Amino acid sequence: MGKRKPVINKAKDGVENSGPTKQGKTSDGITPKMLIKRKLQERKSLKINKTLVFGIPAAVVLVISAAAFHWYNMMLLNYVRTPLDAPKLVDKNWTADAANRFWGSYRSNLYFGLKTRSPSSPVFGIMWMTQFAMQNPPAIRHWCDQADGLHKYGWLAHDGINFGVQEIQDQHFNMSTWFVKRPGGLHGGDWSAKIVLQPRTGNEKVAVSLFIYMATDGQGQIAASLAGDRVAGIRGRSDSLGSFQLLFPKLDKSVKYNYLVSYAPDLDQLKEVLLSGLRYYQVSKDVNANFAGLVGKNLPNGLQESQANFIVSQITVSVPYELEVTFESDSYSVRQDRMIGDIFRTELVKHVSAFEKRFEDVFQLKDKGYDEMHIKFARAALSNMLGGIGYFYGSSLVQSQQNPSPIAYWEAPLYTAVPSRSFFPRGFLWDEGFHNILISRWNLQISIDIIGHWFDLLNIEGWIAREQILGSEARAKVPQEFVVQHNEYANPPTFFLPLKNIVKKLANSTDLRDYQFLERLFPRLKAWYNWFNHTQSGPIYSSYQWRGRNATSTLELNPKTLTSGLDDYPRASHPTSDERHLDLRCWMALASGVMSDIAKSINTSWAEYERQYLLLTDNELLDKLHWSEKMQRYSDFGLHTDHVKLERPPQPKNLQPGQRPQQNQHREKQRAVKQQPLLQFVDSEFGYVSLFPFLLKVIRPDSPKLNIILRDLKDPSLLWTPFGLRSLAKSSPSYNKHNTEHDPPYWRGAIWVNINYLVLDALHYFAHTPGPYQAAAESIYQELRTNLIENIFSQYQKTGYIWEQYDDVTGKGKGSHPFTGWSALVVSMMAEQY
C-alpha cells in the first residue's frame, strides 16, 4: 500500500512504456539521466543489429529483393506472350499422321497456290501476264487483288481435302485451275495440277505467259533441272517433305520457254523478284512488239546457284492451251503410274462426283426444290469457304499495359478459313465462329482441327488476339496501325455458335477421341470464358462492356468499337467506363449455356456456368439494364447525345500582323458536339445491336417484347428491305453517315449476311417453340429467307461474286469480293440448317 502505480505513456510508435514519476525517478529507481544513457546504448545496439535481417546480412537481402523485383517485372513483361498451361489440342507431330490434309490450297491470298501444313513449307504457285499488252511494268497476276479487275474467280468445287476446281475470268481469256491429291508415302503423297486457258470470245488471239514456280520458306533446298531454256523439273528436299520433284511435261513446238533461278528474301517479295528478272526482247525486225521474258540465272551478288530458293518456269502459249504439272514425293515408293493425262482426269471426275453426292446428302437442296443453277451456286459458295482455308505460321505482334512497346507472341501455326481471299486473307476470331457453322456441317473433323488451332493460341491470361497476322505474306496485306494486338481487347466469342451443335455430336459419339477432345478443349474454353468475365465486365452487376473505344478521338462522329466486330455501329457518343453493351451481355449468355453443356457432357463441375446462364437470361434483369421504355426497344447505355456532326474547323482567327491564312491548307473535319451528352439509353439508334436478345434467344418465347421486335423487323422505315435486314434503321441519326471525313458507313445501313443468318436462326427457333408469336415468326422467316437467298444468288449471277455486304436500297453487292467467309452461310439458309 502507499506505492503509486507507474504512469503509462504512449510512445510515438504506439508502444506502451513506463514513464518517470513526479519524484524524478521511475518506479524501479532509475533517474532520468540513467534512462537517457540506457536509451542511447539501445539505439547503438539497434544500429549494429540492423545489418542482420532474420540472421541474413542486409546487403544479401537487398540483392535478393532486387532480383525478385526484376524477375517479377520480367514476368509481367512476358505475361502476354506466355502460353496457357494446359494440354495442347493439336499434336505437334499431327502433320506427319494426317496425310490427307497435309498438302492443300493453303495459300489463301493467291489465285492459285499450294503448300503443306508445316512451319517452313516449300510453296508452289502460279503468276501470269498477257504478252504485248503495252504495259510497263506488265500487269502480273499473283495475289488475289480487287484492283486486278477480274470478271470472276473462285472455286466451283472443293472438298477441303482431296481436290479443287477453280474458274478465273481475266480481261481477255478464261483460266481453269484444277488440282488432285493422291495419298502415299510418308509426306502427304503426290498431287497434280492442270491449267486450262480459253479465249473469252470466239476468235480472240491472246498470248499468255504462265510463271509456274516453287520457292522455299527459310528451310530446304531446290534446284532446277534444265533442258536449254526449259525447266524440265525441280528437285528438292525439306525437313517436312523429304526428297521430292516437280515435273513439267514437254509441250509442243509452239510454246516459248524462259526461266528464272533466283533468291527471294521472303515469300511476300516473290513477285518483285520475278519482275526484276524480266527483260524486254524485240520479237523480230518486222514486228514492232516487245516480248517480256525471264533472264535465266539472276542471283544477288555473292550467292551461289546452290543457294537459290526461287525457281520459275515461264511458259508462253497462245490461247487456247492446257498443261499439267506433277509433284511426286520420293517416299511414295509403290507408285504404279504418274497422275497425268487420262489418269488425272479419271481421278478428278471421281472426286467431283463424290463431292456432288455428298453435297446433296448433307444439304438436300434438290429435296427443297432448288434448280440446278441455285445448287451450283451453293456448291460454289461452300467450295470457296473450303478453298479459302489457309495454313499460317508465325507470331503476332502484341502489347499489354506492362509493355512500353509491342513484342512478339510465341511462334505458332494456325489452320483457319479466311473472310476474303482478296482483302482479308488471314484469320479473324469472330469471323471464324461463323465460318465453322458451315464447315462443321460439311466435315466435322476439319472444324475440330480449326478449333484446336485457334484455342492453342490462348495465352496464360485466357486471351486470343482477334486478328491473326502470321507470316510475311499475311503481314504484307495489313495496314501498320492494325498489326499490333492488345491483350485487353476482345472479339465476340462466336465459336460458341458452332460449338453448341458440335458438342452434341461429340458427346453422342462412340469414338473415344471425340470425348478426349472435349476434355482437352474445356480448360481452354474455361480460361477464355473467365478472361471475358474478368476484363470485359461492366460498371454494374451482370453488365458487360467492350474495351478499346477511343474516348479522346476528335475526328470520329462516333468512336468505333472494333472489338465488337460491328466497327462503326453507333454506341454511346462519348466513351466512358459507365457504358453497358447489350450485344456482349447476350454473347456471354450464349457462352455460359454452352459451357454448362460441355461441362455436363464430360462430367465436370457445371453449376457455376448454369447459374451464370440463368442470370444472363433473366428477362427482368435484362430489361432493367437495357430496355428503353421510352422507345420500346433494347439498347446500349452510356454517355450519349445525338447532336454531333462532322464540321470543317474554321481558319485560325489569331493571325499575326501581316500573316495571311493559308487558302489551300486542308483542315480535316472534326466532331462538333452541339448538345452536352447525358447518361442514358442509346435508344435513338435502332439496328443489329438492338436485336441481340432476340438473335441469341435470350428473350422468352412468351415475352410481349418479342412481339414488339417482330413488329419492328417488318417495318420498312426501320430494318426491313426486299433484300434482307439493314444494319441500322433509316430513322436512326447515324444511318448511312460517314464516321470520319474519309470513312464511309460500314455497319450503318448495309445488309450483312452473318447477322441475317442469326435472325433466320432466331425466327426458326421461335416459329417452332410453343408461344403466342409462332405464326408471326414463321411468316417473317419465310419471307426474309427468300429475300436473302434470291438477292445473294442474283448478285452472284450478275457479278460473279458473293459480296461482303449488300446495299439496302438496291441490293447490289458492296465491299470486298469475293467474300465467302460468313456470306457463304447462304448455303445454311438454303438448307435451313441452324
Side-chain angles (χ1 to χ4, degrees):
M1 291 188 60
K3 289 187 177 180
R4 300 180 61 182
K5 293 181 180 179
V7 176
I8 306 296
N9 294 328
K10 288 278 187 180
K12 287 184 180 180
D13 59 1
V15 177
E16 294 181 348
N17 292 312
S18 296
T21 63
K22 287 185 178 180
Q23 286 79 15
K25 294 184 180 181
T26 63
S27 57
D28 53 0
I30 299 176
T31 64
K33 187 175 181 180
M34 293 169 63
L35 184 62
I36 292 170
K37 186 175 181 181
R38 178 186 288 181
K39 293 291 185 183
L40 289 172
Q41 287 175 337
E42 288 174 355
R43 287 184 180 181
K44 185 177 181 180
S45 174
L46 181 62
K47 186 175 182 181
I48 295 171
N49 288 337
K50 278 184 179 178
T51 61
L52 295 177
V53 179
F54 299 115
I56 303 173
V60 174
V61 172
L62 287 173
V63 170
I64 294 172
S65 299
F69 182 73
H70 176 73
W71 174 86
Y72 178 70
N73 278 331
M74 290 303 296
M75 183 192 73
L76 289 179
L77 289 173
N78 288 297
Y79 209 58
V80 69
R81 61 178 175 189
T82 302
L84 182 70
D85 185 15
K88 292 280 189 180
L89 294 167
V90 179
D91 189 333
K92 65 180 180 180
N93 298 317
W94 187 92
T95 53
D97 300 326
N100 65 337
R101 288 201 294 275
F102 188 51
W103 274 103
S105 52
Y106 299 139
R107 302 182 72 193
S108 308
N109 59 314
L110 266 63
Y111 289 114
F112 185 53
L114 303 172
K115 64 178 289 187
T116 68
R117 289 175 38 154
S118 53
S120 299
S121 171
V123 299
F124 166 85
I126 66 168
M127 307 183 207
W128 73 88
M129 61 171 283
T130 302
Q131 289 285 356
F132 316 121
M134 308 300 289
Q135 286 182 274
N136 191 13
I140 293 179
R141 319 295 199 201
H142 184 217
W143 286 2
C144 300
D145 191 339
Q146 292 176 188
D148 287 343
L150 300 189
H151 296 288
K152 178 181 181 179
Y153 68 92
W155 297 101
L156 303 179
H158 197 305
D159 67 354
I161 298 176
N162 300 299
F163 84 105
V165 174
Q166 182 178 216
E167 179 186 15
I168 301 170
Q169 295 182 7
D170 208 331
Q171 302 297 328
H172 302 289
F173 62 92
N174 295 338
M175 178 190 297
S176 296
T177 61
W178 308 339
F179 80 92
V180 177
K181 291 160 51 180
R182 181 164 63 179
L186 302 175
H187 303 287
D190 301 345
W191 55 260
S192 293
K194 187 168 187 174
I195 302 164
V196 179
L197 304 174
Q198 295 287 344
R200 280 186 59 79
T201 58
N203 298 315
E204 189 173 8
K205 298 294 183 182
V206 185
V208 176
S209 282
L210 296 170
F211 303 98
I212 304 173
Y213 69 83
M214 180 163 268
T216 60
D217 184 18
Q219 196 280 317
Q221 302 83 38
I222 52 175
S225 300
L226 297 173
D229 286 337
R230 180 173 74 88
V231 178
I234 298 173
R235 293 286 307 175
R237 180 176 179 80
S238 74
D239 291 345
S240 60
L241 281 174
S243 297
F244 59 85
Q245 60 179 345
L246 185 68
L247 300 173
F248 301 86
K250 188 175 181 180
L251 305 173
D252 60 56
K253 293 182 179 180
S254 68
V255 176
K256 179 172 179 55
Y257 297 100
N258 299 78
Y259 75 94
L260 180 69
V261 175
S262 190
Y263 180 86
D266 222 326
L267 292 182
D268 65 316
Q269 299 177 44
L270 295 179
K271 181 176 175 179
E272 286 68 27
V273 172
L274 184 140
L275 281 167
S276 71
L278 274 178
R279 299 292 184 272
Y280 284 97
Y281 307 94
Q282 189 170 349
V283 175
S284 68
K285 293 181 180 179
D286 302 325
V287 179
N288 185 23
N290 289 329
F291 170 83
L294 294 172
V295 297
K297 296 172 184 176
N298 189 37
L299 290 153
N301 291 334
L303 287 187
Q304 304 298 314
E305 188 175 344
S306 61
Q307 295 172 283
N309 68 355
F310 182 37
I311 298 174
V312 187
S313 172
Q314 179 183 356
I315 301 172
T316 304
V317 300
S318 294
V319 176
Y321 209 88
E322 60 184 57
L323 58 92
E324 296 172 338
V325 182
T326 301
F327 173 92
E328 293 182 344
S329 169
D330 284 4
S331 68
Y332 191 176
S333 59
V334 295
R335 183 185 305 107
Q336 296 182 349
D337 45 46
R338 185 157 284 163
M339 197 165 52
I340 58 174
D342 289 342
I343 296 171
F344 173 84
R345 183 173 292 276
T346 299
E347 287 294 304
L348 180 64
V349 169
K350 179 185 74 176
H351 285 301
V352 170
S353 178
F355 169 77
E356 292 178 354
K357 182 180 184 305
R358 174 162 171 74
F359 185 88
E360 184 56 31
D361 290 343
V362 172
F363 300 110
Q364 300 179 358
L365 298 190
K366 288 181 182 177
D367 291 346
K368 291 187 174 295
Y370 286 103
D371 60 28
E372 189 60 25
M373 293 295 290
H374 280 80
I375 293 173
K376 285 183 177 179
F377 156 71
R379 288 186 198 134
L382 172 69
S383 297
N384 278 287
M385 170 80 83
L386 298 171
I389 292 175
Y391 185 85
F392 306 88
Y393 190 88
S395 59
S396 298
L397 276 179
V398 300
Q399 192 163 11
S400 71
Q401 292 182 348
Q402 284 74 35
N403 299 106
S405 57
I407 60 175
Y409 218 51
W410 69 88
E411 288 192 331
L414 182 61
Y415 174 64
T416 183
V418 303
S420 170
R421 290 168 60 193
S422 63
F423 210 77
F424 302 110
R426 53 193 177 276
F428 286 80
L429 181 56
W430 97 292
D431 294 66
E432 198 60 21
F434 285 104
H435 298 165
N436 278 272
I437 294 170
L438 181 58
I439 293 172
S440 62
R441 293 284 187 178
W442 173 253
N443 188 310
L444 183 58
Q445 292 308 310
I446 290 178
S447 194
I448 287 173
D449 199 5
I450 288 172
I451 291 168
H453 276 83
W454 271 96
F455 281 93
D456 276 352
L457 294 172
L458 274 170
N459 74 356
I460 196 170
E461 301 164 300
W463 171 71
I464 308 175
R466 63 190 184 89
E467 189 170 347
Q468 296 294 325
I469 310 166
L470 307 181
S472 61
E473 287 189 292
R475 192 161 292 177
K477 298 279 285 187
V478 182
Q480 191 61 38
E481 63 265 30
F482 297 116
V483 169
V484 178
Q485 305 294 300
H486 297 267
N487 73 329
E488 67 269 26
Y489 295 171
N491 225 196
T494 54
F495 267 113
F496 287 106
L497 291 169
L499 279 171
K500 191 169 186 178
N501 289 322
I502 290 172
V503 169
K504 295 175 185 176
K505 293 178 181 178
L506 297 185
N508 294 324
S509 172
T510 57
D511 190 333
L512 180 61
R513 290 174 297 181
D514 291 336
Y515 182 83
Q516 290 171 337
F517 175 79
L518 284 179
E519 282 191 314
R520 295 199 313 275
L521 175 63
F522 186 73
R524 293 183 171 272
L525 285 175
K526 180 179 179 179
W528 193 40
Y529 177 84
N530 289 342
W531 178 86
F532 270 96
N533 281 312
H534 177 69
T535 65
Q536 310 297 302
S537 58
I540 61 177
Y541 181 62
S542 86
S543 67
Y544 288 87
Q545 180 187 121
W546 298 110
R547 301 307 196 266
R549 301 190 71 203
N550 184 359
T552 62
S553 175
T554 60
L555 301 178
E556 294 178 281
L557 187 68
N558 188 288
K560 292 189 291 293
T561 315
L562 293 173
T563 49
S564 73
L566 304 178
D567 295 13
D568 67 343
Y569 185 95
R571 308 282 182 160
S573 60
H574 291 65
T576 68
S577 59
D578 292 312
E579 282 186 87
R580 306 197 295 263
H581 290 136
L582 171 64
D583 51 336
L584 180 51
R585 191 179 192 276
C586 295
W587 282 121
M588 293 310 295
L590 170 72
S592 300
V594 177
M595 288 296 290
S596 177
D597 291 344
I598 300 175
K600 290 174 184 176
S601 70
I602 60 173
N603 298 313
T604 192
S605 176
W606 53 266
E608 62 176 299
Y609 306 109
E610 188 71 14
R611 281 195 298 269
Q612 190 69 3
Y613 174 73
L614 293 174
L615 174 73
L616 296 177
T617 56
D618 181 324
N619 281 204
E620 285 70 29
L621 183 55
L622 170 68
D623 293 351
K624 181 179 178 182
L625 295 175
H626 289 287
W627 179 258
S628 167
E629 282 292 341
K630 174 186 173 184
M631 297 299 292
Q632 291 287 288
R633 62 183 54 154
Y634 286 107
S635 63
D636 285 346
F637 181 91
L639 188 62
H640 181 69
T641 177
D642 292 329
H643 300 281
V644 293
K645 61 186 302 186
L646 294 174
E647 294 182 341
R648 188 92 55 205
Q651 289 280 4
K653 295 180 179 179
N654 299 322
L655 298 176
Q656 297 298 318
Q659 182 183 2
R660 293 183 178 181
Q662 297 183 18
Q663 298 297 325
N664 297 321
Q665 184 181 19
H666 177 74
R667 299 179 309 284
E668 190 165 356
K669 286 184 177 181
Q670 297 180 3
R671 182 171 79 162
V673 179
K674 303 298 184 179
Q675 183 175 310
Q676 287 304 304
L678 300 173
L679 279 174
Q680 59 183 311
F681 286 117
V682 189
D683 54 10
S684 56
E685 308 281 8
F686 180 71
Y688 286 168
V689 166
S690 317
L691 302 180
F692 262 84
F694 164 74
L695 298 180
L696 298 182
K697 311 178 188 87
V698 175
I699 194 170
R700 291 192 305 265
D702 61 351
S703 170
K705 293 179 176 61
L706 175 58
N707 189 40
I708 296 173
I709 291 171
L710 294 175
R711 179 200 67 195
D712 289 346
L713 285 183
K714 280 285 291 178
D715 188 340
S717 71
L718 297 175
L719 305 183
W720 188 264
T721 82
F723 318 109
L725 296 181
R726 58 171 65 91
S727 46
L728 195 63
K730 291 173 69 175
S731 59
S732 294
S734 299
Y735 172 71
N736 266 344
K737 287 188 177 178
H738 276 56
N739 197 47
T740 72
E741 183 176 356
H742 308 292
D743 290 341
Y746 199 44
W747 291 84
R748 296 186 176 182
I751 297 163
W752 291 81
V753 176
N754 64 326
I755 303 299
N756 274 272
Y757 168 85
L758 291 180
V759 173
L760 288 179
D761 179 18
L763 287 168
H764 189 267
Y765 168 78
F766 288 113
H768 292 84
T769 301
Y773 312 113
Q774 282 182 269
E778 176 67 22
S779 174
I780 298 171
Y781 169 79
Q782 294 297 344
E783 189 174 355
L784 177 61
R785 176 172 168 268
T786 299
N787 290 348
L788 284 161
I789 292 169
E790 291 309 312
N791 187 63
I792 297 169
F793 170 73
S794 67
Q795 287 298 304
Y796 177 78
Q797 295 298 105
K798 290 176 183 177
T799 67
Y801 295 108
I802 293 175
W803 293 77
E804 180 184 16
Q805 52 182 224
Y806 294 85
D807 188 270
D808 64 314
V809 177
T810 65
K812 290 182 179 180
K814 296 169 55 177
S816 63
H817 58 279
F819 194 93
T820 41
W822 60 44
S823 292
L825 285 170
V826 65
V827 181
S828 297
M829 296 177 188
M830 295 170 74
E832 298 188 274
Q833 294 177 349
Y834 305 108

